[in-house]
Amino acid sequence: MADAFHEVLFPLDVSLRGSGGPQRLTEIVTLASGREHRNGRWADSRRRYDAGFGVRGLDALHAVLAFFEERRGRLYGFRYRDRVDFRSGPPGRAIGPLDQPLGTGDGATAAFALTKSYGSGFAPYRRRIAKPVSGSVRVAVAGREVGADAFACDPATGLVTFAGGHVPAKGAAVTAGFAFDVPVRFDTDDLTIDLAAFTAGEIPKVPLVEIVP
């Protein structure tokens, strides 16, 4: 039950004004000489958000309260739209089938996981994308876009599976473009609403944390 997930999107009008971004855990040991040893404790980043900045009226507050109750607080995960980072390319550019590399065909492998790469110089980070937006995925093999009948993408896992007769040939680059949501959960079981403070302009805290796939 603890790992259950609801394939439902957090209220979009609220998430448009949310704040947050990626978090990492780095351990730093300072030696007597002043030099440092740095160690990244997490292989993957984890995103944290505060959706409270998007709650601008009583109707939005009520929508978030209902959403929180239906998710049973921290129990059920859900989708969140990060307006800074929700496409395979930059937010202002149309999705294209060459946006992100997924792998190289070997003539037998039919399934490829959606990923997004960050950086291109010293140490690019490759992020697993587990919650693509249904109908947004475009795929290319060896630089040429394939039709929708050639593959299927599971919006609950981000796994692209090629149909029989369309499995990428050996050495063929597989790429994709897509929109995606972030799998998150509430990071509190106690959603405190002070209506007097809210009507006076105080923003409620609605903490969310990414569920790393």
Side-chain angles (χ1 to χ4, degrees), residues 105-175:
D106 60 8
T109 300
F112 294 81
L114 289 181
T115 61
K116 181 175 180 180
S117 295
Y118 296 80
S120 59
F122 296 97
Y125 169 60
R126 198 173 189 185
R127 175 188 179 190
R128 173 74 185 273
I129 302 299
K131 300 296 178 184
V133 175
S134 182
S136 73
V137 181
R138 300 175 64 183
V139 175
V141 176
R144 299 184 64 178
E145 185 169 10
V146 300
D149 61 333
F151 72 96
C153 182
D154 187 343
T157 65
L159 194 66
V160 172
T161 304
F162 287 90
H166 297 280
V167 174
K170 185 176 181 179
V174 181
T175 58

Side-chain angles (χ1 to χ4, degrees), residues 4-10 67 71 77-79 130-132 154-157 181 183:
F5 192 91
H6 289 171
E7 292 290 343
V8 61
L9 185 64
F10 185 82
F67 196 89
R71 306 287 87 74
F78 52 91
R79 289 171 174 259
K131 300 296 178 184
D154 187 343
T157 65
D181 298 316

Side-chain angles (χ1 to χ4, degrees), residues 3-211:
D3 61 351
F5 192 91
H6 289 171
E7 292 290 343
V8 61
L9 185 64
F10 185 82
L12 192 57
D13 56 339
V14 176
S15 65
L16 285 175
R17 299 184 181 90
S19 68
Q23 175 190 40
R24 287 190 172 274
L25 181 61
T26 304
E27 184 179 75
I28 300 177
V29 177
T30 303
L31 305 179
S33 64
R35 294 183 177 179
E36 293 181 343
H37 283 313
R38 295 183 296 277
N39 180 45
R41 298 291 301 274
W42 295 349
D44 297 298
S45 57
R46 191 179 197 187
R47 280 149 180 79
R48 288 186 176 275
Y49 304 99
D50 186 350
F53 288 93
V55 180
R56 298 298 179 91
L58 287 177
D59 286 346
L61 185 61
H62 182 269
V64 170
L65 180 63
F67 196 89
F68 176 85
E69 289 283 39
E70 191 172 8
R71 306 287 87 74
R72 310 295 195 271
R74 294 185 295 175
L75 184 60
Y76 292 98
F78 52 91
R79 289 171 174 259
Y80 180 82
R81 185 70 51 83
D82 183 339
R83 297 300 293 179
V84 173
D85 188 8
F86 69 99
R87 287 183 177 176
S88 48
R93 191 179 75 194
I95 295 169
L98 304 179
D99 284 350
Q100 296 293 329
L102 304 188
T104 303
D106 60 8
T109 300
F112 294 81
L114 289 181
T115 61
K116 181 175 180 180
S117 295
Y118 296 80
S120 59
F122 296 97
Y125 169 60
R126 198 173 189 185
R127 175 188 179 190
R128 173 74 185 273
I129 302 299
K131 300 296 178 184
V133 175
S134 182
S136 73
V137 181
R138 300 175 64 183
V139 175
V141 176
R144 299 184 64 178
E145 185 169 10
V146 300
D149 61 333
F151 72 96
C153 182
D154 187 343
T157 65
L159 194 66
V160 172
T161 304
F162 287 90
H166 297 280
V167 174
K170 185 176 181 179
V174 181
T175 58
F178 44 85
F180 64 95
D181 298 316
V182 183
V184 302
R185 62 168 172 78
F186 285 101
D187 198 24
T188 180
D189 278 324
D190 181 12
L191 195 60
T192 303
I193 305 297
D194 183 342
L195 193 57
F198 178 72
T199 54
E202 184 174 319
I203 297 170
K205 288 189 177 298
V206 185
L208 310 174
V209 62
E210 182 179 8
I211 301 169

